[in-house]
Amino acid sequence: MSVLPEHAVKAWISGFGIGVPRGATAPDPASVEASADGLAPPLAVKAYGPGLLHKSDAGAVRLGLGSAREAADAAAAMLTALAAAGIVPDGFLVEEQAAAGVEVIVGAVRDPAFGPVLLVGLGGVWTEVLRDTALRLCPVTEDDARAMLDELRGRALLDGFRGGPAADLDALVEVLLAVGGPGGVVESLADRFTEFELNPVICGPSGAVAVDARLIGPDEAPPRPAPPAEAADFGPLFAPRGVAVVGASTKKPNFGNMFLGFYKAAGFAGRLVAVHPSAPDIDGVPCVPSLADAGPGIDYALVAVPAERCAGVVREASGIPFVQVMSGGFREMGHPELEEDLIAAARASGVRLLGPNCMGVYAPASGQTFLGGTPGRPGRIAVVSQSGGLAGEIVKVGEQRGLAFSKVATVGNSADVTPAELLRHLASDPGTSAIGLYLEDPRDGRGLFEALRGIRTPVVALVGGRSGQGRRAAASHTGGMIGDDRVWTALARQTGITLVTSQDDLIGALDLLDLHGARTVPGTPEVLVIGPSGGASVLAADVFDGAGLDLAALPAPAREALRALGLGAGSSLANPLEIPVGPRANPDLVRHAVAAILSERPFADVITHVNAQSFFTFGDSADPLLAYARAVGDLQNEQPGTRITLVVRNGECAPPGVTGAVRAIARAAGVPTYRTMESAAVAVAAGKRSVDGAA
């Protein structure tokens, strides 16, 4: 690891327009006085050299010196103290001490997955005490820089706190852009740094000055990952003309046999062959002795043999566009050499590799599948997942709730085909309206960032391991400020994707985006919540507020219109709005109430909720609840410029099949249905962020 001296870093960054104090260097204390001649007190003296990465901790900084002579004396005392600690400095830096102001840290670190990440926060000792920082992936825009400052809890200090002068925010933004913007410090360094830090940058009413600067680089630049082979068309991956399955047995059923059965059950209409050295057929599927003998029309090969045999199989796959390796036992199990051999085999045979350690692809329209049973109806929702099991759950649970999928790809270790590549393909697919991601290690994080910035299709991401894997600090404070969770949050803020924390929320958000994504609605954060029970409404207010959604007050004309409908007696006409909903209530009241409100104030989102328990505590038939669902569907048809969402609370109190029937009625009208206010709030927030960008 190489560390440049502070004065050399400052001289370099001044060329990017970053302000630094006037100063000079001296090889020893006796030379400090002459070096300081012409500098205006108060002065600061610092020692530099090996062992002085953290100068303040080592006692290698003296401030507030009134003259060049005092600076020399301070350097002499510093030298003695450092020698006692076994530290021999290379020299001393004497500078004009910057005027007082707010101390800010500006830094950049190379994240292992996403590359350069910019950080800003309260600096000096506050960096460690408060850890009040904001992150963005580089390069940043001016909007990014200003949003980062807005996120700081200590922002009030920059604005002038308790009569103090406000800092020059424009100057601080210029520093952020000089470090992390296009053509800035980070871009100029490329791979030649591990960590860059300005701490502190002193921000005052007349500008921003970097009074300390640190640049840490590896002894040599890390190797760039080999670029993946080009794939002109991912179409054959999702709609292959033919499929070859390697690994099925004539004696003991295994994963290969299971997949042959899946394709037969799915009604795959293309050519299906098994690879076996001697058998004429397996389970009624004709065999070929090797992939090299598969013949024309095979676009996809599924390999389910032990890990050590996979590379050999892939070397026989020349002419087949895509090979999926289901087998595990590679990098994820501590055998990177087997994965490297597999990649080399794919390169040699000219195929694109999906996996290893993945389940494959699901595309109902073509019969491509990794799931048993009859495929669901083709739809417009796509998913890319690093977990095959989780992808199967998303598909099966989603289809049970009425969702329909266009293309689902599992990528496992992503040794060749990456989530970023598939994301770009799916975003250009006219048959896909929303994309879900489940990722743990994106492999090409920088490519993922760039892909997300360049697409308009709504994306919802569930990220595994966000709290369990902090990034190790590189060498100083900045590295310790950056971790997996915060990088993903920065990615979401820069690209507009929605991050969720559970599989259920991922499915729910995709449901809303699919049904409501094409609606043209007011781009505002306000929502209207309407339903029974004051207590439930109060809790709903808390939930939606926590999701960043605003329950705006109802205007006076709307309240008058509601009174004309007989509402308001015994309850307040507020948002959330309490209305009678139950087995003896008028199911159309919700339609009339919402129409009265929307005629006076537009709401992009209306969440109507119902308590299923009350329908069967005070009634004995499902008909009133189903009638209410039809009324909600009619409301959506009458209000196409509003997103209507239905919440069926306490659905377990309904007889079997009733909530499913409610969901089906609502979905036929384009209304997504949720079981809790919490899940609805996540989905509605996803719609606002991904579709109209209001939240």
Side-chain angles (χ1 to χ4, degrees):
M1 181 179 70
S2 60
V3 182
L4 285 183
E6 178 184 339
H7 61 275
V9 179
K10 285 180 172 176
W12 182 62
I13 65 173
S14 64
F16 292 88
I18 299 172
V20 298
R22 285 205 309 150
T25 59
D28 50 55
S31 306
V32 167
E33 185 171 3
S35 297
D37 185 42
L39 298 179
L43 302 176
V45 171
K46 306 175 186 179
Y48 62 85
L52 293 173
L53 182 62
H54 303 290
K55 293 184 287 294
S56 296
D57 294 345
V61 180
R62 297 287 190 276
L63 304 176
L65 305 171
S67 67
R69 180 68 258 169
E70 284 188 33
D73 291 343
M78 190 185 301
L79 181 63
T80 300
L82 291 173
I87 299 173
V88 180
D90 289 341
F92 296 87
L93 171 64
V94 56
E95 294 179 321
E96 294 178 349
Q97 185 170 320
V102 180
E103 295 188 357
V104 172
I105 180 175
V106 177
V109 171
R110 295 194 62 80
D111 181 87
F114 290 99
V117 178
L118 181 70
L119 172 146
V120 66
L122 293 184
V125 297
W126 299 113
T127 300
E128 296 181 3
V129 174
L130 297 182
R131 300 175 69 86
D132 182 14
T133 56
L135 307 181
R136 291 295 186 274
L137 278 69
C138 298
V140 299
T141 65
E142 181 177 344
D143 287 345
D144 290 330
R146 294 190 183 278
M148 292 171 76
L149 298 179
D150 289 341
E151 291 170 20
L152 298 178
R153 299 192 305 275
R155 168 61 190 263
L157 296 175
L158 293 168
D159 292 332
F161 186 66
R162 291 193 172 181
D168 185 346
L169 291 181
D170 290 339
L172 181 53
V173 168
E174 289 175 5
V175 172
L176 291 172
L177 292 173
V179 174
V185 169
V186 169
E187 195 169 278
S188 298
L189 287 169
D191 288 336
R192 300 185 303 277
F193 87 106
T194 301
E195 185 173 334
F196 172 80
E197 182 181 291
L198 306 176
N199 186 25
V201 176
I202 297 183
C203 303
S206 58
V209 179
V211 300
D212 195 5
R214 180 179 300 145
L215 175 59
I216 303 171
D219 294 331
E220 61 183 46
R224 290 178 178 271
E230 290 294 328
D233 181 16
F234 275 100
L237 180 68
F238 294 101
R241 293 171 299 167
V243 173
V245 176
V246 183
S249 172
T250 57
K251 299 178 180 178
K252 184 177 180 181
N254 58 22
F255 282 113
N257 299 78
M258 179 182 74
F259 275 94
L260 289 176
F262 287 173
Y263 278 108
K264 291 166 67 177
F268 179 65
R271 182 174 171 232
L272 180 64
V273 299
V275 175
H276 191 279
S278 58
D281 68 87
I282 296 177
D283 300 335
V285 176
C287 290
V288 295
S290 73
L291 279 182
D293 302 307
I298 299 297
D299 290 329
Y300 185 85
L302 188 155
V303 179
V305 300
E308 60 272 13
R309 291 178 48 199
C310 288
V313 173
V314 172
R315 287 189 175 91
E316 300 174 347
S318 179
I320 298 176
F322 293 95
V323 176
Q324 174 226 334
V325 174
M326 177 194 174
S327 313
F330 294 89
R331 178 173 55 90
E332 84 285 358
M333 295 298 291
H335 296 290
E337 74 285 355
L338 292 178
E339 191 159 311
E340 291 165 6
D341 192 23
L342 188 64
I343 296 170
R347 297 285 185 265
S349 58
V351 306
R352 295 305 308 273
L353 177 70
L354 195 69
N357 187 33
C358 76
M359 292 295 290
V361 176
Y362 178 72
S366 68
Q368 174 70 298
T369 188
F370 63 87
L371 297 168
T374 303
R377 60 185 175 86
R380 300 176 299 177
I381 299 171
V383 175
V384 178
S385 174
Q386 286 191 282
S387 166
L390 191 70
E393 293 179 35
I394 292 169
V395 170
K396 288 300 187 182
V397 174
E399 289 179 344
Q400 185 68 26
R401 297 183 188 177
L403 280 67
F405 295 86
S406 58
K407 300 173 180 177
V408 178
T410 69
V411 292
N413 295 6
S414 304
D416 178 32
V417 173
T418 65
E421 289 182 276
L422 289 168
L423 181 65
R424 282 190 289 267
H425 170 76
L426 294 170
S428 65
D429 175 22
T432 293
S433 65
I435 301 171
L437 299 177
Y438 173 74
L439 301 174
E440 295 168 0
D441 171 11
R443 292 303 294 264
D444 180 15
R446 174 59 44 170
L448 181 68
F449 173 53
E450 292 170 353
L452 287 168
R453 286 200 302 179
I455 67 174
R456 297 183 61 85
T457 306
V459 176
V460 183
L462 173 61
V463 180
R466 288 173 62 189
S467 62
Q469 296 182 21
R471 299 298 188 197
R472 290 183 298 176
S476 68
H477 309 307
T478 305
M481 296 291 111
I482 293 177
D484 286 344
D485 184 57
R486 305 196 62 203
V487 174
W488 282 105
T489 301
L491 176 82
R493 286 172 175 163
Q494 285 177 271
T495 62
I497 70 168
T498 296
L499 290 179
V500 295
T501 57
S502 72
Q503 173 189 305
D504 191 66
D505 284 343
L506 176 63
I507 294 171
L510 290 172
D511 192 9
L512 185 139
L513 291 171
D514 180 37
L515 291 176
H516 286 325
R519 296 188 191 279
T520 301
V521 301
T524 61
E526 292 87 6
V527 299
L528 170 65
V529 177
I530 181 170
S533 173
S537 294
V538 172
L539 293 175
D542 291 340
V543 168
F544 284 93
D545 181 72
L549 302 169
D550 180 16
L551 278 73
L554 303 182
R559 294 198 299 272
E560 291 302 318
L562 292 172
R563 289 190 181 94
L565 293 174
L567 297 173
S571 63
S572 62
L573 295 177
N575 185 10
L577 177 64
E578 183 179 352
I579 66 170
V581 178
R584 293 171 177 78
N586 177 7
D588 289 319
L589 184 58
V590 64
R591 291 174 47 226
H592 303 315
V594 172
I597 294 169
L598 294 181
S599 67
E600 301 296 338
R601 180 186 186 121
F603 281 90
D605 290 276
V606 174
I607 298 90
T608 175
H609 64 96
V610 61
N611 177 15
Q613 169 265 324
S614 68
F615 278 83
F616 299 98
T617 297
F618 304 107
D620 55 7
S621 170
D623 291 343
L625 182 56
L626 299 179
Y628 181 81
R630 285 189 285 272
V632 170
D634 291 342
L635 171 63
Q636 181 65 86
N637 292 328
E638 295 165 2
Q639 305 290 343
T642 301
R643 291 184 290 244
I644 309 297
T645 296
L646 174 62
V647 179
V648 181
R649 298 183 290 109
N650 305 316
E652 59 270 27
C653 295
V658 171
T659 56
V662 169
R663 183 185 296 275
I665 292 170
R667 188 174 185 85
V671 177
T673 304
Y674 300 92
R675 295 171 292 182
T676 66
M677 293 292 194
E678 289 79 3
S679 58
V682 170
V684 170
K688 288 190 177 294
R689 180 175 178 84
S690 299
V691 177
D692 52 56

